Amino acid sequence: MTGAITAEEPGQAALTAGCPVAERSLLRCFARQRMGVISAVYLAGSLAACLAAPVLAPYPPDAQDLNIPFAGPSAAHLLGTDELGRDVLSRLLYGGVLTFAGVGEAVAVALLLAVPIGMIAGYHGRRLDQILGRFADILLAMPIIVVLLMLYAIFAGSQTAAMIVLGILSSASLFRVVRGSTLPLRGTGYVISARVSGVSTGRILRRHILPGVAGPVLVNASVIAAVAVVLQVGMNFIGFGAQPPNPSWGGMISDAQQALSEHPWQIASPGLAATLTILAIVLLGDAMRDAFAAKWGLESPAARTAQPPPPAATEPSPEVSSPVTPGATGPPEPTRASALLSVEAASVWLSGGGGVLVTDQVTFSVEAGQAVGLLGESGAGKTMTALAILGLLPADGQISGGRCWFAGTDLFSLDRRQRARRRGRGIAYIGQEPARNLDPCFTVGAHLKEILRTRAGKSESRKALNRMVEEALAAVGIVDPASVAARYPHQLSGGMAQRASIAIALATRPRLLIADEPTTALDATVQAEILDLLCSLRKEQGLSVLLVTHDWGVAAGSCDRAVVMYAGQVVETGTVRDLTQDPLHPYTRALLDSVPRMDTAGPLATIAGAPPAPGQWGAGCRFQPRCPLATAECGHGPVHLAGPPGRASRCIHSEVG
Amino acid sequence: MLSLLARRLAMSLLVLVIVPSLTFLFEALSPGNIAETLLGQNATAAQIRQLSRSFGLNRPLLWQYGHWLSGVLHGDLGTSYTTGQPVASMLSTRLPVTLSLAAGSMLVAIVIGLGLGLLSAVSGPRLRRLVDVLSVAGLAIPAFWLGINLVVLFAVKIPAFPATGYVPFASSPLQWLRSLVLPCLAIGVGLATLIAKQTRDQILTALDQDYVRSLRANGASESSVLLRHALRNASIPLITVVGVSFVGALTATVFLESVFVLPGLGSALSLAAQEHDLPTVEGISLYFTVMVVATNLIVDLAYGWLDPRAR
């Protein structure tokens, strides 16, 4: 994973933990992690205080004063005294040395073992890697606590031995991290060129691989350190490691437990010392992870902050308002009254990345039995429009204006719950990648039964449901429905999965099917089969289809009307025939010219430049920067959709006949 | 899948052999003689020789190892150095205590963790943040210290549960339950925060998938999307977390059995380690290793059962 995330879909663009690209030095990225800085300061401070215990501590660790057992905090004893009148603060400081030393030993051993071995395993691969991997598996499967106690049983009281063994056992997980981070680095250009030019393996590992694995290693080392503190304090608590009267945090908890009913607060100081240390280590690890993520431009969980609200309503609707009469040349431009679906000035707002409008007052409609193509490049707002109709915008998306009439209801006026209740009634959906649009854990039959049951109610018998499943699959041209029903998505070919998806969508008995790039992920021949299937289903069932596609070939072959979108706006609508034979908008023309054709020679036309990202649309015509017809006038102000009934274009140069 | 399972099984057996053998390895590395350690500094040479002979410690270490291994294969884990009792029979009464504790802790961890994780996945950012905070706290607070705090609160201040002790299920199911509540909470709460965080993340990942959009668009109910589809897909990575948690719970039993004076394997292990009672240490290490290895195998099997792609 690198930071190669393009800003093509602005709503999904990565946020970088508030770390501006220009100043991505690791230290600065880390400095922005407030909890991490506090943790680092706390750890450094308490380590220094413990090391300086002989100077800082007000009393020697075993100085008893039997006159004042269990004293509360006072000026003489800041944290009070224990059962023998020993100063708790002094004992915490002296005991902390043991804790920090143990953590240091365990982490150092794990690092010394795992980093070189992990890099070698990842760099060399093959047999050596396999053997080391198995070895790590075995270490990982060992119960750490048991091994540590065995060690204590033989080497009585040697904490160093225990921590070294803990380091060895922990090195297995660290080994995996190092190896995993080395693998992708092995194939990078600079490593290959270093190898080709004869740089020694050791030098490549040190100079080129080590900096790349350092981040994950540090993060993982913090986990090992936290585990080391937990285990060490626990072992001290049950009587291993430091022997009385030598102080240790775990031993102090154990002493305090003896007087629990009379002096319960005695357990507080040593327990809190351990807890705060572990807390600081964990938070430091999290902060390092986020700092590395920010440096490499990956989104971190901490970066998902509050989103700005959408702006107030934009310009008043300038859309077509001419009375409509049926055209003579093709299917009529529908009105709200006659249309099955009528989208009016739909605007969708995404709050990610500072907030952008991704569709701007999109207006079109779909008549009963019609197939309408929604066309445009990726990022034009087609899919967002489709999702708005379905009421399935992403979490950061919302409808900031417009209406969507379907079966007498404005779907945009419904709240989340009402909209959810209406889903699966009248409008169905199939998605782009058929295999990913089926739940991998469920068979095709289970998918179908679930949808059938919501429609038919729970009263249907098992047998009847099975029959309905097979009928539904047969209806989409599947020859052996019983066998396909029993298969899981990963056992289906792309075409078969898309047929199954269509069967599931049709199980709702919809009047409108929204198909989002239904054939893009399929082979050309399968593509044609699926389009044929949709065509015949339209004829047989009177189904309306809204076909979202970037492909003129697909739209021309299977749609009656087309709606062309560019930069969030509808730029041209009309019958497919009008649009293909006599495009009014220069973008439509350019899009048509870029379709590969067998009958013309010469290079394929492309559209120079790239569509503007949402939020950078400008005041005038949005296609103007790429348009061959552009004049100064084009940039003056918003261009409105205009045209005769059933036909409209958003261009001041288009000659509307 | 079958070859993977066979490999896992072979590795499990290897771990099963290696871990208890480590005591013999450590003994070989140790400069001293275990009989000396057992008898203390004031022992005479004659006493040491006599003890060595009676425990078979005068034989070569490899012979001792072979003797122990053949005993294990016959169900004989040897005799305790300190009590003179057969290790196997002593452990058989202690195993149910540790298993009750670990299972109860997992019950707490899974019920709280799954519930909190699901709730925070479907609710607003505030609860999601709370889960983050809790999961860090759950990592940071040592379970045994939490256990002592629970004793202060719910056994000393409010005497609702016993502070220490264990009652076998057979003698009184209710008292058995009461004796387990606090230690299970102490272990389970920390693990619950880990499971909650993972559940939340995995559910959110699952809800982000294309199939969820398709299911919703075609009218699948929100409860089915969450509980049937998202939870099922999330359970595949979650089962690994549950396995890791169970091993963590087993580790924690060693400390918690000490806090609550429960007669389980963990407290026996720490006592035996303190008394250098090697046969008991070896026997318990075998028991613990079997439990850890079995957990890993069950996780592997569950993987295949939950994920049709892995079958």
Side-chain angles (χ1 to χ4, degrees), chain A residues 485-503:
Chain A
R487 283 191 222 164
Y488 286 95
H490 72 279
Q491 297 167 323
L492 300 173
S493 67
M496 191 71 90
Q498 195 60 294
R499 281 178 195 273
S501 293
I502 294 171

Side-chain angles (χ1 to χ4, degrees), chain A residues 31-421:
Chain A
R32 283 166 186 275
Q33 311 279 342
R34 197 158 42 110
M35 290 312 283
V37 173
I38 295 173
S39 302
V41 169
Y42 174 80
L43 283 176
S46 54
L47 174 64
C50 290
L51 288 177
V55 185
L56 278 184
Y59 302 88
D62 46 3
Q64 302 182 5
D65 184 350
L66 291 172
N67 297 320
I68 46 160
F70 302 118
S74 65
H77 300 278
L78 286 176
L79 294 176
T81 61
D82 69 2
E83 74 279 6
L84 298 173
R86 296 174 296 195
D87 182 56
V88 169
L89 177 64
S90 303
R91 288 181 69 75
L92 275 184
L93 289 175
Y94 281 101
V97 177
L98 197 70
T99 307
F100 284 111
V103 170
E105 286 155 5
V107 172
V109 169
L111 286 175
L112 284 175
L113 278 176
V115 173
I117 298 179
M119 287 200 302
I120 291 169
Y123 187 74
H124 278 295
R126 287 182 292 229
R127 196 85 196 112
L128 180 70
D129 182 29
Q130 258 183 11
I131 294 169
L132 289 169
R134 296 281 154 76
F135 197 69
D137 282 346
I138 291 175
L139 281 185
L140 278 173
M142 289 192 181
I144 291 179
I145 183 79
V146 170
V147 178
L148 292 184
L149 285 176
M150 277 178 175
L151 202 68
Y152 276 125
I154 292 161
F155 299 89
S158 171
Q159 174 155 299
T160 304
M163 287 297 129
I164 289 172
V165 169
L166 176 62
I168 295 172
L169 293 177
S170 311
S171 68
S173 64
L174 193 58
F175 163 84
R176 285 193 170 175
V177 170
V178 176
R179 177 194 168 269
S181 330
T182 304
L183 279 180
L185 295 175
R186 188 175 61 174
T188 51
Y190 52 89
V191 170
I192 291 173
S193 60
R195 190 165 51 211
V196 170
S197 56
V199 180
S200 75
T201 303
R203 199 176 153 82
I204 291 176
L205 292 184
R206 257 194 331 274
R207 296 285 299 271
H208 300 296
I209 308 277
L210 190 59
V213 303
V217 163
L218 281 177
V219 175
N220 200 265
S222 77
V223 177
I224 294 176
V227 171
V229 178
V230 174
L231 283 177
Q232 192 185 34
V233 175
M235 303 289 263
N236 290 153
F237 170 72
I238 56 176
F240 297 99
Q243 295 304 312
N246 294 330
S248 71
W249 294 353
M252 290 171 75
I253 298 175
S254 176
D255 291 344
Q257 200 200 357
Q258 306 305 319
L260 198 59
S261 41
E262 298 84 35
H263 306 284
W265 45 264
Q266 279 274 315
I267 59 163
S269 311
L272 281 176
T275 300
L276 286 177
T277 305
I278 302 162
L279 192 68
I281 292 172
V282 170
L283 291 175
L284 185 63
D286 281 357
M288 285 193 290
R289 186 197 58 218
D290 289 348
F292 279 109
K295 180 168 160 59
W296 301 111
L298 304 171
E299 188 178 6
S300 75
R304 291 179 200 144
T305 46
Q307 309 290 0
T314 48
E315 50 173 322
S317 172
E319 303 303 326
V320 183
S321 54
S322 55
V324 175
T325 47
T329 52
E333 167 78 15
T335 61
R336 181 191 300 175
S338 73
L340 179 63
L341 174 80
S342 177
V343 178
E344 298 170 0
S347 298
V348 173
W349 171 263
L350 282 186
S351 50
V356 276
L357 204 60
V358 286
T359 78
D360 187 4
Q361 312 210 32
V362 170
T363 297
F364 68 91
S365 53
V366 180
E367 285 266 294
Q370 242 184 13
V372 174
L374 194 56
L375 273 147
E377 288 165 282
S378 59
K382 319 177 295 278
T383 294
M384 282 300 160
T385 305
L387 294 181
I389 297 167
L390 289 162
L392 287 174
L393 286 172
D396 62 344
Q398 63 188 92
I399 292 156
S400 59
R403 290 167 179 280
C404 175
W405 295 97
F406 180 80
T409 313
D410 174 12
L411 297 178
F412 286 180
S413 71
L414 303 176
D415 66 28
R416 264 176 60 113
R417 194 160 293 176
Q418 291 169 322
R419 186 69 193 86
R421 218 174 300 135

Side-chain angles (χ1 to χ4, degrees), chain B residues 63-127:
Chain B
W63 183 90
Q64 293 179 40
Y65 181 54
H67 182 72
W68 182 80
L69 264 187
S70 76
V72 170
L73 293 176
H74 296 96
D76 174 16
L77 295 178
T79 311
S80 162
Y81 286 170
T82 49
T83 64
Q85 301 291 313
V87 172
S89 68
M90 193 240 328
L91 297 189
S92 64
T93 62
R94 288 179 168 262
L95 181 64
V97 181
T98 298
L99 281 181
S100 309
L101 182 55
S105 305
M106 284 314 289
L107 188 71
V108 171
I110 291 175
V111 169
I112 298 181
L114 221 51
L116 194 61
L118 275 171
L119 204 65
S120 71
V122 296
S123 68
R126 207 174 282 177
L127 196 59

Side-chain angles (χ1 to χ4, degrees), chain A residues 492-559:
Chain A
L492 300 173
S493 67
M496 191 71 90
Q498 195 60 294
R499 281 178 195 273
S501 293
I502 294 171
I504 293 163
L506 295 182
T508 65
R509 296 271 161 84
R511 295 169 68 194
L512 171 68
L513 177 67
I514 297 182
D516 186 2
E517 305 268 11
T519 57
T520 309
L522 303 175
D523 294 339
T525 47
V526 183
Q527 196 169 15
E529 283 171 29
I530 295 292
L531 291 174
D532 284 349
L533 172 66
L534 286 177
C535 255
S536 62
L537 287 171
R538 270 180 59 205
K539 289 197 189 99
E540 288 161 20
Q541 306 190 1
L543 186 70
S544 302
V545 176
L546 177 64
L547 188 67
V548 178
T549 181
H550 68 283
D551 185 344
W552 253 118
V554 168
S558 39
C559 294

Side-chain angles (χ1 to χ4, degrees), chain A residues 134 137-138 141-143 145-147 149-156 230-231 233-235 237-240 253 257 260-261 264 267-268 271-272 275 278-279 282-283 286 387 390 392 423-424 427-429 436-442 446-447 450-451 454 488 490 504-505 508, chain B residues 7 11 14-15 18-20 22-23 26-27 29-31 34 136 139-142 144-145 148-149 151-152 156-157 210-211 213-220 222 224 228-229 232-233 236 251 254-255 258-259 269-270 273-274 276 278 281 285 288-289 292 296 306 308-309 311:
Chain A
R134 296 281 154 76
D137 282 346
I138 291 175
M142 289 192 181
I145 183 79
V146 170
V147 178
L149 285 176
M150 277 178 175
L151 202 68
Y152 276 125
I154 292 161
F155 299 89
V230 174
L231 283 177
V233 175
M235 303 289 263
F237 170 72
I238 56 176
F240 297 99
I253 298 175
Q257 200 200 357
L260 198 59
S261 41
I267 59 163
L272 281 176
T275 300
I278 302 162
L279 192 68
V282 170
L283 291 175
D286 281 357
L387 294 181
L390 289 162
L392 287 174
R423 273 199 289 268
I427 304 182
Y429 167 84
R436 289 175 51 178
N437 277 280
L438 296 170
D439 184 337
C441 291
F442 288 82
H447 278 91
E450 173 164 7
I451 301 299
T454 54
Y488 286 95
H490 72 279
I504 293 163
T508 65
Chain B
R7 215 169 61 212
M11 205 194 77
L14 205 56
V15 173
I18 289 175
V19 174
L22 284 177
T23 25
F26 292 154
E27 245 187 298
L29 294 174
S30 159
I34 198 73
V136 174
L139 271 176
I141 300 174
F144 75 89
W145 187 64
I148 302 174
N149 281 293
V151 169
V152 172
V156 177
K157 299 265 184 228
D210 288 352
Y211 59 80
R213 176 189 286 171
S214 288
L215 281 165
R216 281 184 174 148
N218 293 321
E222 204 51 32
S224 157
R228 222 165 101 92
H229 296 280
R232 176 65 192 275
N233 280 276
I236 298 166
T251 302
V254 174
F255 305 122
S258 177
V259 170
L269 178 61
S270 55
Q274 248 147 11
H276 313 290
L278 295 187
V281 170
S285 70
F288 267 107
T289 312
V292 170
N296 292 338
L306 286 169
R309 288 160 296 186
R311 275 170 211 163

